[in-house]
Amino acid sequence: MKSLVAIFCFCLLGLAACSDAWNQYYSDKAEDVTTSDQTLGAFLEAEEAFSDFRALLQEAGVLDELDKDQYMTVWAVNNEHFDLSGIGNLEPSHVARYHLNYLAYGENNLKAGLRIPTFNGTYITIGESGALVNESRILSSQRFKNGVVHEIDQIMVPLINMFDYISQLGDDHSMIRDSILSYNSRVFDRRNSTPVGVDPTGNTVYDSVFYTSNPLFEQADFSSEFSQYTLFLPNNQVVEATFDKLKDQYDLMGQVFGAEDSLMAMTWIKEAVFHEGIVEDYNERVDWVSPFGNVWRSTVQEVDTQSGRPLSNGYVFDVTDMKVPNNVIIDRIKSLVHYYGFADEAEKEAYYIFRGCTEIKVTQGDVSPVAGFYYWLMDVTGNPDSEEEFSVEFTPLNYDEATGEVSVVKVPPGEYNLYMGFRSLGHPYVDIYFSSGDAPIADGASPVATEIPAAQSTPWNYDRVNETDPNIRRWNGLGGLVGVVQVEGEEMSTFRIKVKFNKVMAIGAVKRMQIYHWTLKPTANNY
């Protein structure tokens, strides 16, 4: 009996504490808050000015909730401002439940940025110093026996979450929509499914509940109401324009923009457009890193900053122009130096400068034992008794086997690692120079690297090292790393490479350079 009395007393103390807490709840703004001993339901029934709103709650079957012994918040609209014309195809009952919250949120609790779950399971957001809820302005607040009524100046249209928003995008956004949703799978939710019987084979039969799973949710669960994301949304026109720019870029690099490249670009797009949190000022001009580790650079990616629209768990902006970063889409840009042999005399004169060369030719080098072909080389010889510069300078060319024509290589501006390869046997030490544009490299220019020991079989012998073909070992790699180079400008650009004799490997060796290839690989800084 003593235990029961103690428990009873404890409960009374708890109730008193709750009452004190309820009073304290409004203490900061007590003078601004109207209080009443009525329940929320009794208030709405007595106030004719809210009759239309009360009828909406009654139609939704939630009116009885307002008289229960539980704290709630009601976002009420009076008859003068009551207008459902803006809810579109939404069910009125869905709209009604959007205006109710469990727990009582008084005026002094309404801090900007606060997110409150509604009866629908989605959230409303307090804005602008507590004066706004979503887009509706708070006109007045009243305290009642079991909660709070905030009068607002318009019906709130329920927001949907980001996953549902993406799912409902129209065909003008089908490329990004389908790319994201293609990973969806329907998963049986055993925990929330109700057993209803047993089938003839003894297996349990459920009133089944399913949910949608998507591997993207592991990094960015944009279906959850518990996190907020910003979506930079490109429509099909923007995506197609991005792909067209990539195709033109590849063509100028002497490469083909194929199916694998398209898939790589689309993968980057769908993973880069999500940003954790709300981007309030896109003009900050910063780099945002997506949950997938992709960099979205605001100085490059263009967004309509006036297009922002809220979702229940985030925000959406329309993208107007987009670029897949060079270091994502470009694995390497590579060409062979012996393409000189396919150029006509005018092209040779325009694109090549030979200094101190006594013989210039294209020769057949070693045979590749695994790839089954000969390596072809630009083979130049110098006078061993001359003190003048012995070098080869060239604008890199591509070669089209179908037409037999050469074309100048152009690459996107930015920072690259330059790799090269030679026939290493007996090759001299060389210095390597690099410059943007098509003008000859200036006298006195600084080399990228000096005294490169090209005679070493690793890594300078042809292209047999560094990221070689995984199917054919020691074939079609990057070659030896020369160093970091910069292609200047804003548009696709040509560039120049100079290979300069430094010194022979041994006394009596022939003054001869045999150059095989060059490769540019974007660095992490090359966006």
Side-chain angles (χ1 to χ4, degrees), residues 32-49:
D32 299 326
V33 179
T34 302
T35 61
S36 171
D37 291 332
Q38 289 179 298
T39 64
L40 298 169
F43 167 74
L44 289 180
E45 185 174 6
E47 288 292 330
E48 182 62 28

Side-chain angles (χ1 to χ4, degrees), residues 30 55 58 81 88 91 107 117 122 129 152 177 182 184 214 222 241 288 292 304 381 451 477 493 508 521:
Q58 187 171 27
H81 296 115
E91 292 291 334
E107 275 191 312
T122 55
S129 302
I152 56 178
R177 178 198 66 199
S182 64
N184 283 1
N214 189 311
F222 45 87
W288 285 290
F292 304 91
D304 180 0
T381 305
E451 295 192 27
S493 174
K521 187 175 181 67

Side-chain angles (χ1 to χ4, degrees), residues 134-153:
N134 286 3
E135 303 299 321
S136 300
R137 185 162 295 279
I138 301 171
L139 303 177
S140 65
S141 301
Q142 298 183 66
R143 168 190 169 184
F144 294 93
K145 181 178 180 180
N146 62 337
V148 183
V149 171
H150 297 291
E151 183 182 351
I152 56 178
D153 67 350

Side-chain angles (χ1 to χ4, degrees), residues 431-435 441-450 484-485 498:
D431 302 336
I432 306 294
Y433 297 77
F434 182 96
S435 69
I441 295 174
D443 292 339
S446 298
V448 179
T450 59
V484 177
V485 298
K498 182 167 81 169

Side-chain angles (χ1 to χ4, degrees), residues 45-59:
E45 185 174 6
E47 288 292 330
E48 182 62 28
F50 292 97
S51 60
D52 290 342
F53 180 74
R54 183 178 183 279
L56 178 68
L57 299 183
Q58 187 171 27
E59 181 183 348

Side-chain angles (χ1 to χ4, degrees), residues 147-430:
V148 183
V149 171
H150 297 291
E151 183 182 351
I152 56 178
D153 67 350
Q154 60 181 323
I155 287 288
M156 293 188 290
V157 179
L159 301 175
I160 62 175
N161 70 28
M162 190 167 289
F163 177 78
D164 292 334
Y165 179 84
I166 293 169
S167 301
Q168 296 172 22
L169 287 170
D171 288 343
D172 56 335
H173 290 87
S174 61
M175 296 179 75
I176 185 69
R177 178 198 66 199
D178 295 347
S179 180
I180 292 171
L181 301 183
S182 64
Y183 293 108
N184 283 1
S185 59
R186 193 164 178 256
V187 180
F188 173 56
D189 186 353
R190 182 184 296 273
R191 176 178 296 180
N192 293 306
S193 297
T194 305
V196 294
V198 179
D199 67 14
T201 62
N203 295 316
T204 303
V205 177
Y206 292 89
D207 182 6
S208 300
V209 175
F210 293 88
Y211 64 90
T212 298
S213 177
N214 189 311
L216 295 179
F217 294 164
E218 294 179 10
Q219 277 76 38
D221 189 0
F222 45 87
S223 69
S224 170
E225 291 293 327
F226 298 102
S227 301
Q228 289 185 289
Y229 293 91
T230 299
L231 171 62
F232 302 121
L233 180 65
N235 60 25
N236 289 357
Q237 185 176 354
V238 171
V239 175
E240 288 167 353
T242 302
F243 276 48
D244 288 341
K245 287 185 288 188
L246 287 173
K247 291 172 185 175
D248 292 342
Q249 176 176 300
Y250 269 53
D251 185 55
L252 290 171
M253 294 188 304
Q255 301 180 15
V256 176
F257 186 72
E260 290 186 3
D261 303 295
S262 298
L263 178 61
M264 185 188 306
M266 199 68 218
T267 298
W268 182 86
I269 291 170
K270 73 182 176 189
E271 293 181 355
V273 294
F274 294 102
H275 173 69
E276 195 164 4
I278 302 297
V279 173
E280 296 181 350
D281 183 8
Y282 192 81
N283 294 318
E284 284 184 55
R285 297 305 185 191
V286 297
D287 288 354
W288 285 290
V289 179
S290 80
F292 304 91
N294 297 319
V295 176
W296 183 271
R297 182 163 292 175
S298 64
T299 54
V300 175
Q301 317 294 354
E302 297 184 13
V303 164
D304 180 0
T305 57
Q306 302 303 310
S307 66
R309 46 203 180 276
L311 302 174
S312 67
N313 62 343
Y315 222 73
V316 181
F317 290 99
D318 290 328
V319 176
T320 57
D321 193 41
M322 185 170 55
K323 176 188 178 183
V324 180
N326 295 332
N327 54 33
V328 171
I329 197 64
I330 301 174
D331 175 59
R332 62 179 70 177
I333 309 167
K334 180 178 179 179
S335 187
L336 305 180
V337 181
H338 84 270
Y339 290 161
Y340 162 84
F342 299 108
D344 60 29
E345 292 305 315
E347 291 167 331
K348 290 177 180 177
E349 184 175 349
Y351 303 135
Y352 293 83
I353 299 175
F354 299 94
R355 298 180 180 90
C357 298
T358 57
E359 186 177 15
I360 305 163
K361 59 184 178 180
V362 172
T363 59
Q364 182 176 287
D366 304 292
V367 65
S368 169
V370 290
F373 74 96
Y374 283 97
Y375 293 99
W376 290 89
L377 305 158
M378 171 180 278
D379 192 344
V380 291
T381 305
N383 184 348
D385 299 323
S386 175
E387 294 296 326
E388 68 175 319
E389 178 179 315
F390 171 35
S391 65
V392 176
E393 180 179 334
F394 58 95
T395 296
L397 301 177
N398 286 315
Y399 173 63
D400 188 332
E401 291 185 3
T403 64
E405 297 178 345
V406 296
S407 59
V408 173
V409 176
K410 289 188 176 182
V411 299
E415 186 181 87
Y416 295 86
N417 283 317
L418 171 64
Y419 296 81
M420 293 193 71
F422 308 82
R423 183 175 186 266
S424 64
L425 183 63
H427 204 285
Y429 286 90
V430 293

Side-chain angles (χ1 to χ4, degrees), residues 89-106:
N89 296 324
L90 295 173
E91 292 291 334
S93 60
H94 182 68
V95 176
R97 297 174 67 85
Y98 195 63
H99 288 71
L100 301 178
N101 316 126
Y102 285 119
L103 301 180
Y105 293 89

